[in-house]
Amino acid sequence: MTKIIDHSFGKGQPALSTSMMGRVRIKVITGFFGSSKLGEEDFVSVSEIDEDKYRSAGGAAAGAIIGGVLTGGIGFLAGAAIGGRRRTESSYLIVLKDGGHVALRTKDKVLRARLGHLAQNEKIATMVAERGGSAEV
């Protein structure tokens, strides 16, 4: 699930997706028939704002109950530990060539992986440039 936190498209509503090749695309719907598409080539920078890791409380409770009923006391503890799936939710800021931006929060593994990769490449390029080199990432 991806939620747009903020954007600079006025009344247009952006939606993020990934292509078959894993590249990030932004489609901005501006009216009934109007829309524009932006790809990674339109990004100036991608930076990670925040990352939250947590366990599903409902899953832990269900796992504890099922484990306790089936195997007794030790199953209760094991079910609670295994039942709560780990989840990660990350926030990113994408700055575009035209001066616009999109801030988003996502749980989507593919989108998080690609945006994380783009943000990491940008950090590497910045660090290399600060040392006087050039980096093609």
Side-chain angles (χ1 to χ4, degrees):
M1 179 181 102
T2 301
K3 179 181 178 185
I4 304 297
I5 301 169
D6 187 39
H7 61 85
S8 61
F9 299 111
K11 293 185 179 185
Q13 185 58 41
L16 268 78
S17 64
T18 51
S19 69
M20 298 266 301
M21 301 299 287
R23 296 181 57 84
V24 178
R25 295 183 296 197
I26 301 172
K27 183 176 183 178
V28 183
I29 302 168
T30 55
F32 190 70
F33 292 109
S35 68
S36 60
K37 296 177 184 173
L38 304 167
E40 291 180 8
E41 62 277 357
D42 298 310
F43 298 176
V44 171
S45 68
V46 176
S47 52
E48 186 174 14
I49 301 169
D50 187 23
E51 181 177 81
D52 293 331
K53 293 183 180 184
Y54 57 93
R55 287 189 176 265
S56 168
I65 292 168
I66 292 169
V69 168
L70 294 177
T71 61
I74 195 72
F76 179 81
L77 296 173
I82 295 170
R85 285 189 2 204
R86 290 184 183 153
R87 298 176 188 252
T88 303
E89 190 174 57
S90 301
S91 299
Y92 293 93
L93 174 65
I94 301 171
V95 179
L96 304 168
K97 286 182 181 177
D98 66 0
H101 71 277
V102 176
L104 63 113
R105 189 153 187 82
T106 187
K107 294 179 184 178
D108 183 321
K109 288 181 182 180
V110 174
L111 189 57
R112 279 189 306 109
R114 183 62 184 165
L115 290 173
H117 177 74
L118 292 172
Q120 185 178 27
N121 284 349
E122 185 177 324
K123 283 182 185 178
I124 292 169
T126 302
M127 292 172 69
V128 170
E130 286 175 355
R131 292 181 178 234
S134 64
E136 288 293 322
V137 188

